[in-house]
Amino acid sequence: MRIHAELAARGIPQDLIEHHLNIADNAWFAHVRKIWQKHFKGIMPLDSKIRARQIRFLYQRGFTAEQIDTIFRSDHENA
């Protein structure tokens, strides 16, 4: 989302941005998981304060709520 906003601010046409930054693409979901695992060592948060910190970290890197939720939802369902 961050990249999307920066490109739009620079005057790149919306359809061109959408074409090249397909947010629903599975690669983004894999990328958010890779970033999360690298930064937090793959350790699931034990309380809501730590979870909120992890979510903020990923938001600041431009990931969407849907992409971030896949980390916590999939691990919670598998537990």
Side-chain angles (χ1 to χ4, degrees):
M1 291 186 74
R2 185 179 188 179
I3 294 169
H4 186 283
E6 287 183 25
L7 291 172
R10 294 175 189 244
I12 306 296
Q14 195 72 353
D15 59 335
L16 190 60
I17 295 171
E18 296 294 331
H19 175 72
H20 289 286
L21 291 179
N22 184 0
I23 301 302
D25 186 1
N26 287 337
W28 288 106
F29 293 102
H31 188 62
V32 70
R33 179 166 292 282
K34 180 180 175 184
I35 297 294
W36 175 78
Q37 286 177 335
K38 182 178 180 181
H39 192 78
F40 296 105
K41 312 282 189 261
I43 299 171
M44 291 303 290
L46 299 176
D47 64 33
S48 59
K49 186 176 179 179
I50 295 171
R51 181 181 172 142
R53 185 169 13 119
Q54 291 184 6
I55 290 170
R56 274 192 310 275
F57 172 83
L58 295 169
Y59 269 129
Q60 290 172 346
R61 267 114 193 111
F63 294 106
T64 66
E66 181 185 12
Q67 293 163 345
I68 294 169
D69 284 346
T70 61
I71 292 170
F72 301 106
R73 184 178 52 237
S74 63
D75 284 347
H76 178 67
E77 290 172 354
N78 294 333

